[in-house]
Amino acid sequence: MEKVDENKERAENKENEENKESKQNRETSERNRIVIPIGPQHPSLKEPSSFIITLEGEKVVDAVIGVGYVHRGIEKACESRTYIQNLYLIERVCGICSHTHSTAFCQGIEELAGITIPRRAAYIRVIVAELERLHSHLLWLGVAAHEIGFDTLFMYSWRDREKVLDVLAEICGNRVNYGINTIGGVRRDIDSEMMQDTLKMADYLEGQLKYYLDLVMTDKVLSARLVGIGKLSREDALKFGVVGPVARAAGIMDDIRIIEPYAAYDEIPVNPVTDTHADVFGRTVVRIKEMLESLEIIRYSVKNIPDGDIAVKAPRRIPAGEVISRTEAPRGENIHYIRSNGTDMPDRVRIRAPSQANWQGMRHMLQGQYLADIPITIAAIDPCYSCTDRAIVVNSESGTEIMDWQGLRQYSIEWYKKRGIDVSLVKMPERKFYA
Amino acid sequence: MQAEQEIVDRLCEEFPFLKGRVHVQRQKRIFTGHLVKEEFEQVIRYLHNNMGFYKANHVVGTDEGENLGFIYLLSNKEGIMLALKEIAPKSDPKINSMTCIYPSLERHERELVDLFGAEVQGLPEGPSYPLPDGWPKGNYPLRKEWKPEYFDKNTMTYNPPDAGNDKGKR
Amino acid sequence: MKLLEKAINWATRKSPWIIHYNSGSCNGCDIETIDALTPRFDLERIGIIQQGSPRHADILICTGAVTIQTRDRLKQIYDQMPEPKYVIAVGTCACSGGIFDGCYCVMGGVDSVIPVDVYVPGCAVRPEAIISAVQKLLDTIGESKKKRDSNAKSLADSMNNNNLTRGMKNNTENNAENNGQDGGDLCAS
Ligand code: SF4
């Protein structure tokens, strides 16, 4: 507790200093400020969002972030659908971490109804959750590599991701939105053939991941693009309440699987992965190491899965009450608040997805960065992929210029090339594993 | 359960008005009853300054009939989550922003403005979130009396049928 | 048909450029669309390139139900594309609004805003189905309207006859070409 206060104080002091500094500079700088609205992004992957970025020369002085382009009104719709219908709706809050959302929702309902799911079902939930983490992190790795112009790694990691999707499709029957959870357990059992395939995939992936980790840790060009970018210190991370890999990269052990074990995590050993870099590099390393940890969890659960039923019967009407359910999504802590009123429809459902928490620190991360570092900084919290939308560069002197996300990405790659850092020239070292 | 009970005891000792209005729901979960603005602010400040609830995870808005409820989810290092509830009448839905002590709440409180029509005083300026541009004023979609059926998305207007035949939920 | 038009159609058929827009999806269909561009499926090998500006695009791949906020943006993108232009609605949401139909910020399917040429249902759509949809679309480019309609009908028939719940067990070493073919029964024009 004391530590937290101390940290806070330090952070505040720093802020005051910064304020003083900026006041002095304000006079001179106001004249050559440029405001750039970016977006609303077309995110090939995640939520569209818009940024209004104020530049001074090439440095970012402020960033205003607007999200909400895919606000669909799911929470209201939940109130007029039954619990079972809602399960499938909530799974589609996000196509990438669908399993986490449906797990959190099911857990909440099960708690309200007072049912305990069979152990086997809990283990299956864990296996699918970890497979999901693998595919999400691999996806992120590819996206981040793409943003810095390292398309080789992009293609590599997405190819490996297919292996994970194959296993997911085999276990759940679908590549995305698995639909395996149900209130009271899971819908499909896992057989020995599936387990064999899962273990085979784990062995293959382990080799690949170690290879990527090695690459990221040793390559000088990559570290030139990643180290020191998008800093969010431990104090600030606590202040802005960021979660998941972003917090863990700042040295905060914030993992719901350990803090508040759910499903079968109370029996499965989970080693926390943290890092002290507190920048994009740290986030990359944390994610890769987390994947290795996920493989261990998968191996353990496949070996130790108990026999038995996979689901118990759940009532259609859920007794009145309220519940807060938490899970660890690939992007961090996911919170569901559910209130029931005794009917077969919930009274209120509130979903706090992890990205929502991470946006909070974004503004801080962007301040003081070069324009060229914006794409990777934004990508590093894992919110969105690219933007085919136009961004308008408003320059008070030369009028209006048009630029899009792709343009910004290109600009960033060229900017670094001019300084002798060309990621696309990075040679993938010899590797021992090949599909 | 001991740590949770200790927190409850300490709170009740400090704030006599909390007696009987705060309970441990289960392990790592503490719920309070609905507090009015003045009570709420004392408690949240105390929790932040003296009891190590360093992190505000979220604010949940709820519709309590005549009133609006706001559930602040706070957590401490041990992962104990405390749901602190505030209440304000719909006729005068003013609450004070807690971003001064928990900067992480900014976006969540902004949502309350758009979706519930709460007036959050002291919220830093910024773009509205998450409703689309051009959303008609005075329409708060997450209030219970607002029904999506009556909302015309093309003209962006809300046309409820005449009062009287508007019976209950669908 | 004018000569110039013929030439354009011929060129489009050989190497169409696609632009992808998310009008409010859950990301499921988006990642599958990107997936179609990566090594396992590799759309580029049949000359399809994804790029950023609508002004250079021939095909708009649209995923997700249209939300109020993205509606105008979608129209804008469509208007900016040069003729001839085609739209593929990817995913159940894009076809009809899907599971989000009735939400207060959702307009409905893509066709509630712009005309759609190919509908690809599925939640999420498999990359094979997307590839197949593009292929089917390319086959119809340059055909007369009548022929396209009859094509659509026969496709719809074949879809009805086909068992849509194919075994999901996917061979790990599956090659993309096979996938491309058997994904075909999932899409209708
Ligand atoms: S069709 Fe399914 S996967 Fe695709 S965007 Fe809609 S809900 Fe998501």
Side-chain angles (χ1 to χ4, degrees):
Chain A
M1 191 179 104
E2 272 163 23
K3 211 174 193 176
V4 174
D5 281 345
E6 204 182 285
N7 288 344
K8 229 195 76 208
E9 242 175 63
R10 221 182 298 154
E12 267 167 16
N13 283 344
K14 219 172 94 197
E15 225 182 38
N16 285 343
E17 270 171 43
E18 276 167 12
N19 276 344
K20 256 183 237 154
E21 233 181 74
S22 66
K23 238 177 225 161
Q24 285 167 359
N25 293 340
R26 201 166 290 161
E27 283 261 304
T28 46
S29 57
E30 210 120 89
R31 256 172 283 135
N32 34 28
R33 268 193 192 177
I34 303 175
V35 180
I36 310 183
I38 302 179
Q41 288 175 27
H42 150 70
S44 286
L45 285 175
K46 296 169 210 136
E47 244 180 305
S49 37
S50 64
F51 300 85
I52 300 174
I53 288 173
T54 312
L55 286 181
E56 233 173 69
E58 281 180 332
K59 286 223 169 180
V60 178
V61 285
D62 196 11
V64 179
I65 299 151
V67 199
Y69 289 88
V70 290
H71 179 76
R72 292 159 292 200
I74 289 183
E75 287 169 9
K76 183 80 176 181
C78 281
E79 292 170 13
S80 56
R81 301 186 188 192
T82 65
Y83 286 103
I84 287 291
Q85 286 172 327
N86 277 332
L87 180 55
Y88 296 96
L89 181 59
I90 278 174
E91 195 155 22
R92 282 154 181 79
V93 166
C94 171
I96 301 172
C97 26
S98 56
H99 182 73
T100 319
H101 284 297
S102 69
T103 308
F105 185 73
C106 286
Q107 260 172 214
I109 307 295
E110 283 149 10
E111 194 182 321
L112 282 172
I115 44 185
T116 333
I117 62 166
R119 283 319 279 171
R120 192 174 173 85
Y123 268 82
I124 293 176
R125 279 187 186 174
V126 167
I127 294 173
V128 177
E130 293 305 323
L131 286 169
E132 182 178 79
R133 196 178 317 280
L134 282 174
H135 107 72
S136 171
H137 282 358
L138 279 170
L139 179 150
W140 175 84
L141 185 65
V143 170
H146 177 70
E147 293 302 350
I148 58 172
F150 192 10
D151 277 346
T152 323
L153 184 58
F154 172 40
M155 293 297 170
Y156 266 60
S157 73
W158 277 61
R159 189 199 57 197
D160 291 339
R161 187 174 155 268
E162 288 295 324
K163 307 254 176 206
V164 183
L165 288 185
D166 284 340
V167 173
L168 274 171
E170 193 182 337
I171 294 176
C172 312
N174 204 359
R175 289 159 52 97
V176 186
N177 297 336
Y178 323 109
I180 192 155
N181 277 330
T182 188
I183 298 165
V186 292
R187 289 176 51 235
R188 289 164 75 118
D189 202 359
I190 183 168
D191 63 24
S192 63
E193 194 191 343
M194 291 174 189
M195 290 184 199
Q196 284 316 315
D197 285 351
T198 311
L199 291 176
K200 240 202 288 176
M201 184 278 299
D203 290 341
Y204 165 79
L205 210 57
E206 185 170 359
Q208 289 296 92
L209 288 174
K210 284 190 173 147
Y211 168 64
Y212 297 146
L213 188 61
D214 202 41
L215 179 78
V216 172
M217 298 287 255
T218 52
D219 197 277
K220 289 210 183 65
V221 184
L222 277 182
S223 51
R225 290 270 347 232
L226 302 178
V227 175
I229 308 295
K231 274 265 183 200
L232 189 73
S233 64
R234 198 188 139 88
E235 292 80 46
D236 290 336
L238 285 171
K239 184 170 142 204
F240 292 111
V242 294
V243 294
V246 183
R248 289 196 282 272
I252 303 167
M253 207 293 291
D254 174 18
D255 191 331
I256 305 301
R257 291 176 294 175
I258 298 166
I259 297 176
E260 198 188 312
Y262 57 96
Y265 284 115
D266 48 350
E267 288 175 10
I268 300 169
V270 182
N271 298 318
V273 178
T274 54
D275 195 272
T276 47
H277 279 84
D279 55 8
V280 176
F281 180 78
R283 282 160 220 155
T284 313
V285 172
V286 163
R287 286 201 174 93
I288 298 180
K289 285 189 178 160
E290 245 175 65
M291 284 194 265
L292 288 167
E293 186 56 37
S294 286
L295 290 179
E296 283 311 309
I297 298 175
I298 290 172
R299 286 202 184 105
Y300 182 92
S301 345
V302 165
K303 280 185 195 127
N304 293 298
I305 188 166
D307 287 332
D309 284 340
I310 55 164
V312 291
K313 211 169 151 7
R316 213 165 57 85
R317 289 173 196 282
I318 304 297
E322 58 186 343
V323 70
I324 299 164
S325 165
R326 303 208 272 177
T327 57
E328 180 72 19
R331 285 170 192 73
E333 179 192 31
N334 172 29
I335 304 175
H336 282 215
Y337 170 87
I338 304 157
R339 187 161 79 180
S340 58
N341 53 8
T343 62
D344 59 351
M345 294 180 196
D347 192 45
R348 172 88 172 103
V349 177
R350 175 74 198 130
I351 301 154
R352 208 275 336 243
S355 292
Q356 248 170 327
N358 283 340
W359 275 119
Q360 221 47 255
M362 197 70 232
R363 183 174 184 176
H364 191 82
M365 280 186 234
L366 288 177
Q367 279 165 358
Q369 298 280 302
Y370 285 109
L371 179 62
D373 289 326
I374 292 181
I376 183 66
T377 312
I378 293 175
I381 69 164
D382 201 0
C384 45
Y385 169 66
S386 73
C387 166
T388 48
D389 211 332
R390 290 162 312 135
I392 303 168
V393 179
V394 187
N395 189 328
S396 46
E397 274 146 44
S398 62
T400 308
E401 216 181 291
I402 292 175
M403 184 174 156
D404 59 9
W405 180 262
Q406 227 94 354
L408 182 63
R409 181 184 152 255
Q410 209 52 47
Y411 164 84
S412 123
I413 294 167
E414 295 297 329
W415 193 87
Y416 270 100
K417 258 190 202 160
K418 267 189 243 149
R419 283 153 184 79
I421 298 167
D422 185 357
V423 182
S424 61
L425 294 183
V426 174
K427 285 243 163 56
M428 298 297 277
E430 284 267 312
R431 70 203 144 134
K432 292 170 227 130
F433 302 90
Y434 192 75
Chain B
M1 294 288 271
Q2 215 189 339
E4 288 86 344
Q5 196 55 48
E6 269 167 28
I7 291 172
V8 171
D9 293 344
R10 196 166 152 199
L11 272 179
C12 289
E13 206 173 291
E14 192 68 25
F15 302 103
F17 59 80
L18 276 180
K19 274 228 169 77
R21 290 164 77 188
V22 45
H23 68 281
V24 180
Q25 187 211 26
R26 68 154 163 101
Q27 213 184 2
K28 306 225 165 168
R29 292 284 184 281
I30 302 172
F31 278 77
T32 70
H34 282 113
L35 310 178
V36 294
K37 198 158 84 182
E38 294 74 30
E39 295 172 337
F40 169 81
E41 276 167 28
Q42 285 173 28
V43 179
I44 197 168
R45 270 174 219 280
Y46 185 77
L47 283 168
H48 176 263
N49 297 337
N50 305 357
M51 292 188 66
F53 280 86
Y54 72 94
K55 187 169 173 183
N57 299 63
H58 193 40
V59 192
V60 184
T62 55
D63 185 313
E64 310 284 342
E66 293 288 286
N67 302 307
L68 291 178
F70 307 99
I71 311 177
Y72 282 71
L73 306 181
L74 313 174
S75 58
N76 68 1
K77 250 203 334 283
E78 286 83 50
I80 295 177
M81 191 168 257
L82 193 145
L84 191 63
K85 296 184 184 171
E86 185 178 8
I87 198 160
K90 274 184 187 166
S91 51
D92 180 29
K94 285 201 186 73
I95 58 168
N96 283 329
S97 168
M98 286 299 132
T99 45
C100 47
I101 50 177
Y102 293 114
S104 56
L105 286 178
E106 184 187 331
R107 192 168 292 276
H108 306 314
E109 285 187 344
R110 220 177 276 294
E111 260 177 53
L112 300 179
V113 178
D114 262 28
L115 300 178
F116 283 95
E119 288 175 37
V120 185
Q121 290 165 332
L123 193 63
E125 279 192 21
S128 82
Y129 170 75
L131 289 179
D133 306 336
W135 187 265
K137 283 225 166 60
N139 282 281
Y140 306 119
L142 279 180
R143 289 193 180 183
K144 288 279 182 209
E145 66 266 18
W146 195 91
K147 301 256 177 332
E149 302 89 280
Y150 306 141
F151 182 64
D152 186 338
K153 293 161 198 159
N154 285 315
T155 57
M156 298 279 256
T157 48
Y158 185 65
N159 320 305
D162 299 336
N165 55 12
D166 173 22
K167 268 208 190 111
K169 273 188 292 182
R170 188 163 56 91
Chain C
M1 200 179 286
K2 292 207 194 78
L3 190 64
L4 179 65
E5 231 170 83
K6 263 190 187 156
I8 291 175
N9 282 337
W10 172 81
T12 313
R13 208 140 73 190
K14 295 296 178 213
S15 177
W17 286 17
I18 59 170
I19 177 173
H20 168 213
Y21 186 70
N22 169 352
S23 55
S25 93
C26 77
N27 294 338
C29 288
D30 301 302
I31 45 175
E32 293 296 64
T33 308
I34 307 295
D35 234 28
L37 298 163
T38 52
R40 164 80 64 87
F41 302 101
D42 202 5
L43 267 180
E44 262 175 50
R45 98 205 116 92
I46 47 174
I48 297 169
I49 303 176
Q50 192 208 20
Q51 49 74 61
S53 166
R55 294 184 201 282
H56 302 152
D58 304 304
I59 302 177
L60 171 62
I61 289 194
C62 193
T63 52
V66 181
T67 65
I68 294 178
Q69 185 77 322
T70 55
R71 168 180 54 180
D72 296 340
R73 186 73 43 174
L74 182 60
K75 266 193 214 138
Q76 232 174 46
I77 289 186
Y78 184 73
D79 290 342
Q80 280 171 0
M81 287 168 63
E83 290 282 353
K85 50 191 167 190
Y86 306 92
V87 178
I88 304 181
V90 166
T92 309
C93 290
C95 294
S96 65
I99 195 160
F100 301 118
D101 202 18
C103 293
Y104 60 78
C105 263
V106 171
M107 300 296 298
V110 173
D111 53 6
S112 62
V113 181
I114 52 173
V116 173
D117 296 275
V118 185
Y119 296 89
V120 196
C123 180
V125 167
R126 290 174 70 90
E128 299 95 311
I130 298 174
I131 296 174
S132 168
V134 175
Q135 197 85 68
K136 294 248 159 67
L137 176 72
L138 295 184
D139 289 347
T140 63
I141 289 179
E143 281 174 4
S144 65
K145 172 129 194 346
K146 203 170 141 208
K147 194 146 176 230
R148 267 162 85 172
D149 283 350
S150 79
N151 259 350
K153 196 176 167 299
S154 68
L155 249 173
D157 288 346
S158 75
M159 200 173 94
N160 288 340
N161 294 339
N162 260 309
N163 184 6
L164 284 180
T165 51
R166 288 173 303 134
M168 299 301 288
K169 170 129 175 45
N170 204 341
N171 187 346
T172 334
E173 309 306 328
N174 234 350
N175 83 33
E177 243 158 78
N178 273 341
N179 283 337
Q181 278 161 12
D182 65 26
D185 39 84
L186 280 175
C187 71
S189 171

